[in-house]
Amino acid sequence: MKKTVCELFAGVGGFRLGLEKASSNWKTVWFSQWEPNKTNQWAHKCYVSHWGDIDEYTGIDISTVPKKKIPSHNLLVGGFPCQDYSVARPLPGSNGIDGKKGVLWWQIRDILETKKSPFVLLENVDRLLKSPASQRGRDFGVMLACFNDLNYSVEWRVINAAEYGTAQRRRRIFIFAYKSTTKYSKNIKATPEKLLTKTGFFAKSFPVEKDVKIDETTLQYKNIHDISTSFSFDFKNSGYMKKGKVYTAKTIPILEDAILLQDILEKKVDKKYYLSKEAKDRFEFLKGSKRISRTSKDGHKYTFSEGSIAFPDPTDLPARTMLTSESSLNRSTHVIKDLKTKKLRYLTPVEAERIQGFDDNWTNTGMPEKARYFIMGNALVVPLVTRMAKKLESILNKE
Ligand SMILES: C[S@@+](CC[C@H](N)C(=O)[O-])C[C@H]1O[C@@H](n2cnc3c(N)ncnc32)[C@H](O)[C@@H]1O
């Protein structure tokens, strides 16, 4: 099977870069990247500056792209937001699914329906397994039911990148889906327990301890609306779904040495990255513990409280999760003590790229520095994809 790829929600190409670092056999035939409500499409421009453009549809809202225009491919990849996946009751006689407008999962589903991609690899925040709080597991249940309806099986795993030898404590869910007609699917003979701990897609690339307790459930529904209104389940960090049967377990990673923040810091940085006295005071407040009396809109008085977080960030640990707000004066922004000058400073854009495993200056393609941090906050840990790519290549070779 040809290693052709379609990269949705491509950002600056974390999936593509990760695949290409594993092998030159991967060929991205189409991608889509559009940042809503922004005049400057920095991520799309950066992507195009590395790989060139493909057609007039790559840089527009995916929901406006006629799905038939998307070239055929064997692997669909993408990192997309965790949103509300609930659906309205279908009107009598209609057979479509009425998901909320602007919810990007429905774009992925429509593409899978039209393009019938045999293999799919998605990334999302780990909260997806638990959301919404009022009906835990509903959104992931909706996703699984959609895959099931389109004749896919699904494996998933929440991976904390730092536990597998990278520079960032970033916990994300990866979802691997494949058509039941693929050889890969037909050849699965292992018990769910063995699949999740030894032989499955994630267990092969990211080893875990072998003792697990499997919980199971069945997706029972006439249409997706039934799942949307009544399904709830305690999904664990690993799982497998085939023909509506769901198996899940809490797996324990076999830890590998992480890369530490001190290993990726630049030796000498411009003075603009050092904190002013005002910024230092502000960070001390933001990162410190606090109890503040507040009044809600309806006049209700309450106390907001939060504990302190390390300030500055320890450099003998991997970085914390990088967010899109990394460029702002924010509680979650990294502040480190420079190894040489011992003064407090921000991370540089190159350090932000290194934390995500991108090449140095990947985003130095003409955009403001603020946009470089934002884009890195949105991206993924590239070396994780490279690891998965090796297993993917062997799977596609056998098709
Ligand atoms: C979580 S990020 C994925 C980043 C990517 N994995 C990377 O390595 O850079 C999601 C991306 O989807 C893009 N996006 C959001 N809404 C979109 C839409 N309607 N059409 C196309 N892209 C969209 C965002 O601009 C963002 O870059």
Side-chain angles (χ1 to χ4, degrees):
M1 187 179 261
K2 281 194 182 142
K3 279 143 215 98
T4 46
V5 185
C6 170
E7 183 174 28
L8 299 179
F9 314 109
V12 290
F15 270 106
R16 183 166 180 173
L17 185 63
L19 292 169
E20 291 184 359
K21 278 182 185 287
S23 145
S24 57
N25 294 329
W26 295 101
K27 300 279 174 253
T28 299
V29 294
W30 197 72
F31 71 93
S32 162
Q33 167 51 38
W34 177 74
E35 180 66 34
N37 312 318
K38 290 274 168 76
T39 323
N40 283 312
Q41 292 292 325
W42 298 120
H44 186 268
K45 276 192 188 140
C46 173
Y47 193 106
V48 168
S49 80
H50 287 290
W51 287 294
D53 209 347
I54 294 177
D55 60 28
E56 70 270 37
Y57 299 111
T58 64
I60 60 173
D61 180 356
I62 187 69
S63 63
T64 64
V65 176
K67 306 301 180 266
K68 284 200 179 114
K69 298 278 183 193
I70 299 177
S72 293
H73 51 268
N74 291 323
L75 175 66
L76 182 95
V77 295
F80 63 109
C82 172
Q83 295 169 298
D84 175 355
Y85 299 166
S86 62
V87 293
R89 181 178 292 284
L91 294 169
S94 84
N95 47 21
I97 299 171
D98 207 1
K100 286 204 170 81
K101 215 169 166 279
V103 174
L104 298 170
W105 163 247
W106 304 111
Q107 296 304 314
I108 299 179
R109 200 210 74 100
D110 290 353
I111 293 168
L112 295 178
E113 188 174 39
T114 309
K115 302 306 304 182
K116 304 182 174 22
S117 331
F119 293 96
V120 185
L121 180 61
L122 304 173
E123 183 240 16
N124 205 311
V125 292
D126 59 342
R127 193 177 70 244
L128 171 65
L129 288 177
K130 310 273 177 217
S131 70
S134 56
Q135 192 186 338
R136 292 206 165 246
R138 176 200 71 193
D139 288 343
F140 195 59
V142 166
M143 246 179 107
L144 289 181
C146 290
F147 272 123
N148 190 44
D149 285 349
L150 297 172
N151 200 25
Y152 285 91
S153 298
V154 180
E155 296 174 39
W156 75 85
R157 168 83 83 77
V158 174
I159 297 175
N160 182 348
E163 294 177 339
Y164 290 100
T166 74
Q168 188 185 175
R169 289 171 273 162
R170 190 180 189 89
R171 199 175 277 125
R172 290 291 181 267
I173 182 172
F174 286 89
I175 300 160
F176 180 53
Y178 37 91
K179 284 278 190 192
S180 303
T181 48
T182 57
K183 280 191 190 152
Y184 176 75
S185 179
K186 287 182 187 157
N187 286 340
I188 291 178
K189 305 276 188 284
T191 59
E193 193 172 7
K194 203 153 176 220
L195 182 110
L196 297 186
T197 57
K198 209 167 158 75
T199 59
F201 178 74
F202 294 108
K204 281 271 181 215
S205 308
F206 303 98
V208 287
E209 305 286 351
K210 66 180 189 320
D211 291 325
V212 289
K213 183 185 149 303
I214 302 279
D215 288 340
E216 45 180 284
T217 189
T218 306
L219 299 172
Q220 278 168 333
Y221 60 103
K222 278 210 264 332
N223 54 49
I224 304 280
H225 175 257
D226 298 340
I227 298 279
S228 178
T229 47
S230 55
F231 180 84
S232 176
F233 186 60
D234 183 15
F235 290 108
K236 303 292 196 305
N237 68 352
S238 299
Y240 174 52
M241 188 279 299
K242 183 173 185 166
K243 293 191 176 148
K245 286 284 284 179
V246 179
Y247 307 89
T248 190
K250 180 170 169 21
T251 52
I252 312 286
I254 298 177
L255 302 181
E256 297 170 18
D257 287 344
I259 297 172
L260 311 177
L261 205 35
Q262 67 200 21
D263 303 332
I264 59 99
L265 295 179
E266 293 197 86
K267 298 277 175 294
K268 193 169 185 306
V269 310
D270 192 283
K271 59 178 184 308
K272 70 180 175 189
Y273 297 110
Y274 284 93
L275 262 57
S276 64
K277 169 83 175 71
E278 295 73 43
K280 182 172 170 281
D281 292 347
R282 185 77 189 135
F283 272 122
E284 251 159 22
F285 168 76
L286 288 169
K287 290 175 185 264
S289 72
K290 53 187 89 65
R291 287 176 65 78
I292 305 168
S293 297
R294 286 189 180 163
T295 310
S296 67
K297 274 186 198 140
D298 57 10
H300 171 73
K301 285 199 188 319
Y302 66 100
T303 306
F304 168 81
S305 67
E306 61 186 4
S308 62
I309 59 168
F311 177 64
D313 281 277
T315 49
D316 57 354
L317 287 177
R320 287 175 295 104
T321 308
M322 190 162 6
L323 304 176
T324 50
S325 56
E326 182 66 29
S327 72
S328 62
L329 245 155
N330 197 290
R331 183 169 152 94
S332 59
T333 298
H334 291 84
V335 175
I336 56 135
K337 194 185 254 186
D338 187 86
L339 296 180
K340 198 151 167 237
T341 63
K342 310 289 179 214
K343 288 187 189 146
L344 295 181
R345 68 166 177 85
Y346 299 96
L347 295 177
T348 66
V350 164
E351 288 164 346
E353 288 159 346
R354 289 179 183 172
I355 285 171
Q356 289 283 38
F358 280 79
D359 300 345
D360 284 6
N361 285 308
W362 185 258
T363 56
N364 194 4
T365 52
M367 69 180 91
E369 287 205 342
K370 228 177 153 46
R372 294 180 67 185
Y373 292 104
F374 178 86
I375 277 172
M376 275 302 116
N378 249 340
L380 47 67
V381 180
V382 174
L384 296 184
V385 177
T386 304
R387 265 170 97 143
M388 290 181 230
K390 294 186 181 133
K391 176 70 187 149
L392 279 170
E393 186 160 11
S394 92
I395 292 173
L396 268 72
N397 282 342
K398 290 181 192 140
E399 292 295 322

